[in-house]
Amino acid sequence: MYDVTAMGELLIDFTPCGTSEAGRTLFEQNPGGAPANVLVAMSKLGLKTAFIGKVGEDMHGELLKQTLINNGVETKGLIEDPEVFTTLAFVQLKDGERSFSFARKPGADTQIRADEVNMDILNQTRIFHFGSLSLTNEPARSATIYAVEQAKKAGALISYDPNYRAPLWPSREAAEQEMRSVIKYVDIMKVSDEETKLLTGVEDPYEAAQILLDQGVKCVVITMGKDGAMLRTERFTVKEPSQTRKVVDTTGAGDSFWGGLLSRFAEEKVSPEELSQQQASDFIRFANIVAGLCVEKRGAIPAMPNRDDVMYLYNLKLEKF
């Protein structure tokens, strides 16, 4: 069994890395893509993970595949396609915050078909995780929904992180429609405070979480930046503060947080319905530590912390460090 399988984008983040002698911005080639980031975060925490998706048969695709292998992620569900180019994202950083420009017309990640989804992996996973970037284009949209339905039939816990990226959608209205369309499948969901209105029509995190619970989500986590994170189920609400760290690059911060949280669900073998209030607080504190260590380094996948560093801080049992 795999602890978690993720499906979606696997791409290169070109992250600013100084300037040339002519004063031009230099970019560093960093492997990324939200679902892959989550898997690497979990793999480095000691979990068994697998990826389903598509890259181009090119230098970037080869780097991405090798990166997953080097980080212990199963790649038999990863397809290398000579007909399309691996997706690229160029990241602009200002005061540690990011904006994106994408080379994805189309990118390989949007071209996976339902008949290419590896069913052996889907039938052997405890958690299936996906995001909304694979819903932006066909055939990946239909393939993703097919994978979600099959994983749910096989008994997997369904995890969803909308991860809104405006440049990849034709309009905000299109994003809203597609991102909301899959909520009916979801057991556990992560939403940033910037996405609450898009996903629910309200901005208040508490109210937004209740709307998602009313739609059938069993556990809703709202990330609130410097204010930490809130977890809501039908039975309780918990909040935990963020961790005070020296921020170098926030790329992958949300993915590392979610990898940390999902790792606790997988290790404890607990369903959202069984989750206790104390477990919920511990899970979020653990996830905040993972994210806090991630933002101290550049890139996404290269910045994911190892288990020993996370557990050292977790075992201090301090609210802030």
Side-chain angles (χ1 to χ4, degrees), residues 65-279:
K65 180 178 181 179
Q66 194 58 51
T67 298
L68 292 184
I69 292 170
N70 292 346
N71 284 281
V73 179
E74 174 59 63
T75 59
K76 66 182 182 182
L78 176 64
I79 298 165
E80 297 171 277
D81 189 337
E83 300 300 319
V84 284
F85 198 67
T86 301
T87 298
L88 310 178
F90 293 85
V91 184
Q92 184 178 42
L93 298 174
K94 185 176 181 180
D95 299 325
E97 295 300 320
R98 306 157 296 154
S99 61
F100 296 86
S101 295
F102 291 90
R104 193 188 191 225
K105 296 181 179 180
D109 64 295
T110 68
Q111 299 303 298
I112 188 168
R113 304 187 309 269
D115 63 350
E116 295 177 311
V117 173
N118 190 303
M119 291 303 301
D120 288 340
I121 294 176
L122 284 184
N123 289 329
Q124 298 181 72
T125 189
R126 293 187 175 90
I127 300 172
F128 179 79
H129 173 68
F130 72 108
S132 74
L133 268 64
S134 56
L135 303 176
T136 59
N137 300 83
E138 290 289 1
R141 181 188 298 120
S142 294
T144 301
I145 293 172
Y146 172 77
V148 170
E149 291 174 339
Q150 296 304 310
K152 199 168 186 71
K153 287 180 183 177
L157 181 74
I158 305 300
S159 162
Y160 177 43
D161 176 5
N163 194 32
Y164 178 54
R165 294 286 179 263
L168 295 179
W169 293 94
S171 67
R172 184 178 175 88
E173 291 73 25
E176 180 180 304
Q177 179 179 334
E178 295 298 335
M179 291 167 70
R180 293 184 182 192
S181 70
V182 295
I183 293 173
K184 61 186 177 183
Y185 299 108
V186 177
D187 298 303
I188 177 170
M189 183 172 173
K190 170 186 169 291
V191 184
S192 74
D193 53 356
E194 297 174 345
E195 297 168 334
T196 53
K197 189 168 184 179
L198 186 69
L199 270 297
T200 68
V202 301
E203 292 184 355
D204 180 75
Y206 188 89
E207 292 180 17
Q210 186 60 56
I211 289 172
L212 294 171
L213 291 172
D214 291 342
Q215 293 179 58
V217 182
K218 306 298 189 301
C219 175
V220 179
V221 179
I222 310 287
T223 56
M224 301 178 290
K226 61 181 178 61
D227 294 324
M230 176 181 71
L231 183 153
R232 282 205 68 190
T233 71
E234 289 288 8
R235 294 176 290 117
F236 57 78
T237 301
V238 299
K239 293 182 181 179
E240 286 291 329
S242 61
Q243 306 300 312
T244 303
R245 310 298 292 177
K246 180 181 178 181
V247 177
V248 173
D249 181 4
T250 58
T251 304
D255 303 327
S256 62
F257 171 90
W258 201 236
L261 192 79
L262 291 183
S263 74
R264 301 306 296 152
F265 271 98
E267 288 184 319
E268 296 288 334
K269 294 182 173 59
V270 61
S271 70
E273 295 92 338
E274 301 166 335
L275 188 68
S276 71
Q277 189 166 342
Q278 182 59 54
Q279 281 178 313

